[in-house]
């Protein structure tokens, strides 16, 4: 059951603080509370529950706010609850009426919170936050300009240039392209060990041995179906190869063959146990799902062992996170990464998540959909698209040519003979490549500050929510920095005028007597 709450933001004075005083209105969590579209979030969140039956669910503000805090600070689920319990500003952000020292919910609820927000919902909320943030920045600038009684026409020239970088001018010609779209793809590694075929088979063998022991405990007569091989010797055969620094392929292949043999015996024994009366339903769901993954792993590894190919569609690299796939990256640090592949676009300074896929794909397919998404949002195509070399293929070039979009990259054909035109083309290419570093900075900050370097959530739904929340937090942080930047710039300009005014008067008074003395001497 879900009860709709009043999501109107409390004022600073209404928030009860038992130790006296009031909250700072310039605190980041106070600013974030006014930035979030709570009403739109509740429209997405409330239909998931029955309005009349069941226990009351946690409010959308508490659920979404807890995920936001966890992603912003890079905390675990347990530490997130503790931080909320100890911090009055976070409780104000979550919509509390006053400070409370009690834990707002159990840390295990974070798993359910991640399931209740889909990828599409978070994308839409991210766009709403960007639009609301732009409106807040423009409102702040207009209020600053109204308070300024100066007639200096160049006083706000710098801020106007920065505003025009991410807000389309109202008098822009209809149908003319505007803005810059920067796109790229990356991988968000999952929290798994580096998989090898031998390691996976050893883990599968140990798991099936545990399942056999649980099945044999159901009845004493079932113990006769237990495979009669020395488990210690099977593990020693695995360690004999796994501990070697650079074992030869012949030894690895022989060890894999032995582990496959042990695993086949265990799977046959499980079939005999179920045929003799053992019930798989008495196993925990975790072991039942793991047994299904092990059966598929045995089939894949058998094909890879006796065939010449080393590729396998939907290859399993982890028994628990079976949705994780190897993503070929070709980087110096790691040729392959294991996690979700994401496609990201930076539209005039704001980063948006376009696609999450657990299967590898060619990111050049995303250029045209992202350009159409840009047109749907701004009413026109971007003036230029800055992308990596993999995006510059014939299909994308033709699309950009038809729609008068400049696609970054080296031009086709021979360079022009005119040195001035050739130099201008090189300068433009260099400027586009420098602008493309913007999306690389988004990946860098996301992996260093917002936990995209290692996704700790094990369920695919939870991992997708964590990835989407990271880009949502980055968008909110961008708006917060813009607001602080404009206020600081205006304050510095006022201080300079107040300080330079008396200084200029004193300098003029000091220079006037010296000028008079020089004229008398002449």
């Amino acid at each position: 059951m879900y009860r709709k709450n009043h999501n109107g933001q409390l004022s600073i004075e209404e928030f009860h603080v038992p130790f006296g005083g009031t909250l700072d209105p310039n605190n980041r969590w106070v600013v974030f509370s006014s930035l979030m579209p709570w009403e739109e979030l509740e429209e997405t969140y409330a239909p998931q529950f029955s309005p009349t039956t069941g226990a009351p669910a946690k409010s959308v503000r508490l659920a979404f706010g807890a995920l936001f805090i966890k992603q912003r600070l890079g905390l675990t689920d347990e530490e997130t609850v503790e931080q909320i319990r100890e911090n009055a500003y976070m409780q104000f952000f979550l919509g509390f009426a006053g400070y409370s020292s009690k834990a707002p919910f159990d840390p295990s609820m974070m798993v359910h919170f991640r399931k209740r927000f889909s990828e599409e919902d978070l994308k839409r909320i991210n766009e709403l936050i960007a639009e609301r943030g732009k409106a807040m920045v423009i409102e702040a600038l207009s209020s600053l300009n109204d308070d300024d009684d100066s007639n200096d026409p160049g006083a706000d020239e710098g801020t106007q240039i920065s505003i025009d970088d991410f807000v389309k001018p109202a008098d822009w010609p209809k149908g003319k392209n505007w803005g810059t779209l920067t796109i790229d793809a990356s991988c968000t590694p999952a929290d798994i060990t580096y998989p090898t075929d031998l390691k996976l088979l050893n883990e599968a063998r140990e798991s099936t041995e545990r399942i056999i022991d649980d099945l044999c405990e159901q009845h004493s007569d079932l113990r006769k179906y237990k495979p009669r091989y020395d488990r210690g010797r099977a593990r020693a055969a695995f360690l004999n190869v796994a501990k070697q620094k650079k074992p030869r392929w012949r030894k690895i292949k022989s060890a894999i063959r032995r582990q496959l043999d042990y695993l086949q015996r265990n799977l046959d024994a499980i079939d005999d146990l179920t045929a003799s009366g053992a019930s798989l339903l008495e196993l925990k769901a975790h072991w039942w799902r793991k047994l299904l993954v092990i059966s598929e792993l045995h089939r894949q590894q058998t094909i890879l062992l006796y065939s010449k190919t080393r590729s396998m569609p939907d290859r399993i690299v982890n028994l628990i996170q079976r949705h994780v796939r190897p993503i070929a990256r070709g980087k110096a640090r790691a040729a392959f990464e294991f996690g979700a592949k994401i496609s990201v676009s930076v539209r005039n300074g704001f980063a948006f998540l376009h696609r999450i896929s657990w299967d590898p794909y060619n990111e050049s397919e995303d250029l045209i959909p992202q350009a159409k998404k840009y047109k749907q949002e701004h009413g026109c195509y971007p003036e230029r698209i800055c992308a990596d070399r993999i995006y510059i293929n014939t299909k994308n070039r033709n699309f950009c040519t038809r729609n008068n979009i400049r696609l970054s990259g080296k031009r086709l054909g021979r360079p022009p003979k005119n040195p001035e035109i050739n130099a201008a083309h090189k300068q433009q290419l260099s400027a586009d490549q420098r602008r493309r570093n913007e999306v690389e900075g988004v990946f860098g900050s996301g992996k260093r500050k917002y936990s995209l370097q290692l996704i700790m959530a094990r369920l695919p739904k939870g991992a997708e929510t964590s990835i989407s929340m990271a880009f949502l937090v980055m968008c909110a942080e961008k708006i917060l920095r813009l607001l602080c930047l404009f206020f600081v710039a205006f304050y510095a300009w006022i201080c300079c005028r107040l300080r330079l005014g008396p200084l200029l008067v004193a300098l003029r008074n000091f220079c006037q007597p010296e000028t008079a003395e020089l004229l008398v001497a002449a």
Side-chain angles (χ1 to χ4, degrees):
M1 181 177 68
Y2 184 77
R3 297 173 180 172
K4 290 190 176 181
N5 299 321
H6 174 64
N7 290 316
Q9 181 60 54
L10 289 174
S11 64
I12 299 294
E13 293 77 12
E14 293 175 344
F15 187 82
H16 174 67
V17 182
F19 38 81
T22 58
L23 301 181
D24 181 13
N26 296 324
N27 184 272
R28 55 178 176 171
W29 299 112
V30 177
V31 179
F32 284 149
S33 64
S34 61
L35 185 62
M36 297 298 153
W38 301 116
E39 297 295 336
E40 291 80 359
L41 277 167
E42 191 167 40
E43 293 178 0
T44 303
Y45 188 79
Q48 302 180 29
F49 306 93
S50 173
T52 56
T53 60
K58 300 296 183 183
S59 65
V60 62
R61 186 156 184 170
L62 182 62
F64 181 82
L67 294 176
F68 188 92
I69 292 172
K70 169 185 167 58
Q71 201 69 36
R72 172 61 187 87
L73 302 180
L75 306 174
T76 61
D77 294 347
E78 294 79 7
E79 185 63 24
T80 301
V81 177
E82 288 298 313
Q83 290 289 337
I84 294 173
R85 187 179 65 85
E86 298 169 357
N87 196 314
Y89 286 101
M90 291 183 182
Q91 294 184 14
F92 179 83
F93 172 70
L94 297 177
F96 285 34
Y99 175 77
S100 175
S101 60
K102 296 181 180 179
F105 52 86
D106 190 81
S108 61
M109 285 296 299
M110 294 290 290
V111 180
H112 301 284
F113 291 163
R114 284 189 285 267
K115 293 179 181 179
R116 293 171 185 173
F117 296 97
S118 66
E119 177 189 349
E120 296 299 327
D121 293 337
L122 292 178
K123 287 181 182 178
R124 184 173 59 85
I125 296 302
N126 192 8
E127 295 176 357
L128 290 176
I129 290 175
E131 293 299 326
R132 180 173 294 189
K134 293 177 184 179
M136 290 175 63
V137 172
I138 295 174
E139 182 180 358
L141 283 177
S142 61
S143 63
L144 292 178
N145 293 332
D146 293 340
D147 295 339
D148 181 18
D149 55 356
S150 172
N151 295 325
D152 185 6
D156 58 344
E157 183 179 357
T159 56
Q160 185 63 35
I161 293 175
S162 60
I163 281 293
D164 291 341
D165 287 342
F166 63 89
V167 177
K168 184 180 178 181
D171 56 349
W172 192 260
K174 186 178 180 180
K176 183 179 178 181
N177 294 348
W178 170 83
T180 301
L181 176 64
T182 310
I183 59 178
D184 203 355
S186 183
C187 180
T188 55
D191 183 29
I192 63 173
T193 60
Y194 191 88
T196 61
D197 296 341
L198 185 59
K199 185 190 297 184
L200 286 172
L201 290 173
N202 177 71
E203 184 181 355
R205 177 187 58 80
E206 293 177 348
S207 299
T208 51
E209 290 172 357
R210 170 70 182 274
I211 294 174
I212 290 172
D213 293 341
D214 292 344
L215 293 177
C216 290
E217 289 179 358
Q218 296 180 8
H219 198 276
S220 58
D221 294 339
L222 299 176
R223 295 180 180 176
K224 61 182 179 180
Y225 296 103
K226 194 173 183 179
R228 297 185 179 181
Y229 67 84
D230 190 353
R231 295 182 179 180
R233 184 174 297 178
R235 177 168 176 78
F238 159 71
L239 294 177
N240 186 30
V241 178
K243 287 185 176 182
Q244 295 184 19
K245 189 174 182 179
K246 291 184 178 180
R248 294 181 178 273
W249 169 240
R250 184 175 298 176
K251 287 187 177 181
I252 297 176
K253 193 172 182 179
S254 176
I256 290 175
R257 186 181 290 108
R258 293 188 64 180
Q259 295 297 324
L260 279 173
D261 182 45
Y262 292 136
L263 185 58
Q264 183 63 50
R265 294 187 195 180
N266 290 342
L267 293 176
D268 293 340
I270 292 173
D271 292 339
D272 295 339
L273 287 168
T274 54
S276 301
S279 177
L280 292 175
L281 298 177
E282 297 185 12
L283 295 175
K284 294 182 178 180
H286 166 75
W287 292 108
W288 169 250
R289 290 192 294 265
K290 207 169 186 178
L291 180 60
L292 296 178
V293 177
I294 289 172
S295 301
E296 176 63 18
L297 175 68
H298 181 272
R299 184 190 70 84
Q300 291 184 1
Q301 293 297 326
T302 303
I303 294 175
L304 291 173
L305 180 65
Y306 296 104
S307 63
K308 296 181 179 180
T309 181
R310 297 302 303 164
S311 64
M312 172 67 64
D314 298 331
R315 186 169 182 172
I316 295 174
V317 295
N318 190 268
L319 299 183
I320 298 176
Q321 302 185 46
R322 56 190 181 278
H323 55 276
V324 177
R325 297 289 180 263
I327 305 294
R329 298 292 295 156
K331 303 295 182 180
R333 182 179 298 179
F336 286 85
E337 292 182 350
F338 305 91
K341 188 172 184 179
I342 59 175
S343 181
V344 177
S345 63
V346 180
R347 307 173 198 164
N348 305 308
F350 291 90
F352 297 95
L353 180 64
H354 175 73
R355 180 180 181 184
I356 301 177
S357 176
W358 295 102
D359 295 320
Y361 66 93
N362 191 337
E363 54 262 34
S364 63
E365 304 171 357
D366 292 336
L367 186 142
I368 297 177
Q370 291 188 13
K372 293 181 178 179
K373 177 67 176 178
Y374 186 96
K375 183 179 180 180
Q376 182 181 358
E377 179 181 355
H378 297 280
C380 63
Y381 283 111
E383 184 180 1
R384 63 174 176 175
I385 296 179
C386 300
D388 201 359
R389 188 178 300 174
I390 193 173
Y391 290 89
I392 308 175
N393 53 28
T394 304
K395 183 178 179 181
N396 293 337
R397 281 183 184 272
N398 294 336
F399 172 81
C400 294
T401 302
R402 289 195 306 268
N403 296 282
N404 298 323
I405 303 173
R406 189 175 79 246
L407 182 61
S408 65
K410 190 176 180 180
R411 297 172 182 265
L412 295 177
R414 295 181 179 179
K417 296 182 179 180
N418 192 337
E420 295 181 357
I421 299 178
N422 193 19
H425 288 176
K426 290 183 178 180
Q427 186 177 2
Q428 186 181 83
L429 176 61
S430 178
D432 292 341
Q433 292 301 320
R434 288 196 302 270
R435 185 61 183 265
R436 201 188 70 81
N437 292 336
E438 185 179 22
V439 71
E440 299 292 346
V442 169
F443 289 135
S445 61
K447 292 186 177 182
R448 289 178 180 272
K449 293 179 59 178
Y450 305 109
S451 306
L452 288 182
Q453 178 62 32
L454 191 65
I455 303 300
M456 303 300 294
R458 292 190 173 186
L459 299 177
K461 179 65 176 177
E464 293 171 2
T465 302
S466 298
I467 296 170
S468 301
M469 283 297 302
F471 287 91
L472 191 147
V473 172
M474 278 192 280
C475 183
E477 284 286 328
K478 172 82 172 181
I479 296 167
L480 184 64
R481 289 195 303 270
L482 285 175
L483 290 173
C484 295
L485 175 64
F486 289 128
F487 278 113
V488 169
F490 179 77
Y491 180 75
W493 178 77
I494 291 295
C495 291
C496 289
R497 288 186 63 87
L498 293 178
R499 291 178 182 177
L500 288 177
L503 182 61
L504 291 174
V505 173
L507 184 61
R508 184 183 58 189
N509 296 334
F510 178 76
C511 293
Q512 282 179 354
E514 293 185 354
T515 306
E517 292 178 359
L518 291 174
L519 291 175
V520 170

